[in-house]
Amino acid sequence: MNGDINLKAPSHIVRLAKDSALQVSVRVGRNGITNSLITEIQDQLVTRQLVKVKANRGITDGSDERSDLFELLANQTDSKLVFQRGNVAVFWVGK
């Protein structure tokens, strides 16, 4: 599913998440979800309100698998998946 994920997030957070000026700060590489990836996202969420994550091509076979990957990342980082489009997702700490 593309577009709005978490409608419980404040509208200003969703607007920021959709803004193309928000740069990708974490990439999911060929190793997939690793402890260091989770730690990096958690560390960034401490200092930033939003973290934009991009899954490299070939990591997932389709949109359902990609959505599952991003949902798993949200659960493991104690964050909320605010927005997803294609292979890019934005996570919010929910403060």
Side-chain angles (χ1 to χ4, degrees), residues 70-85:
F70 290 138
E71 288 174 23
L72 180 61
L73 270 177
N75 288 336
Q76 291 187 352
T77 59
D78 295 322
S79 62
K80 294 181 176 90
L81 180 58
V82 178
F83 180 72
Q84 177 187 347
R85 180 176 291 147

Side-chain angles (χ1 to χ4, degrees), residues 30-45:
R30 67 174 180 247
N31 294 328
I33 298 176
T34 62
N35 288 336
S36 61
L37 178 76
I38 293 167
T39 302
E40 178 63 28
I41 294 171
Q42 288 172 329
D43 289 348
Q44 286 192 26
L45 285 168

Side-chain angles (χ1 to χ4, degrees), residues 37-95:
L37 178 76
I38 293 167
T39 302
E40 178 63 28
I41 294 171
Q42 288 172 329
D43 289 348
Q44 286 192 26
L45 285 168
V46 169
T47 58
R48 304 172 61 166
Q49 213 174 24
L50 298 169
V51 174
K52 193 172 194 177
V53 177
K54 183 173 187 175
N56 288 347
R57 291 179 189 250
I59 297 302
T60 58
D61 289 331
S63 61
D64 290 338
E65 192 174 316
R66 196 169 36 245
S67 293
D68 292 344
L69 172 95
F70 290 138
E71 288 174 23
L72 180 61
L73 270 177
N75 288 336
Q76 291 187 352
T77 59
D78 295 322
S79 62
K80 294 181 176 90
L81 180 58
V82 178
F83 180 72
Q84 177 187 347
R85 180 176 291 147
N87 61 338
V88 176
V90 179
F91 298 91
W92 176 52
V93 75
K95 289 183 180 175

